[in-house]
Amino acid sequence: MAAALAVLIVFPVAAADIDRASLYRAQSVTSGTGEENRAWGLAPCLEEVLVKVSGDPRLIGTRVLRT
């Protein structure tokens, strides 16, 4: 137990190395700047961000995100 604690103190958790700002960023290519195009591009970006922030890959392609 003490060895495991020492490892955590010496080697910080990998989550601390994550660039937190990148968790909330995603990119999508659209063919225009109109409202319809923005809505089409927002959906995959929102899904990507929600999966990254939650850490739950089961959200990918779920119907909950499609509604």
Side-chain angles (χ1 to χ4, degrees), residues 5-49:
L5 183 58
V7 169
L8 288 175
I9 292 171
V10 175
F11 301 105
V13 179
D17 295 332
I18 294 174
D19 177 20
R20 290 185 183 108
S22 68
L23 290 175
Y24 299 97
R25 291 188 185 143
Q27 291 184 337
S28 181
V29 177
T30 63
S31 61
T33 58
E35 187 66 31
E36 189 173 305
N37 291 320
R38 281 189 239 151
W40 183 83
L42 178 64
C45 290
L46 180 59
E47 179 178 329
E48 182 179 335
V49 168

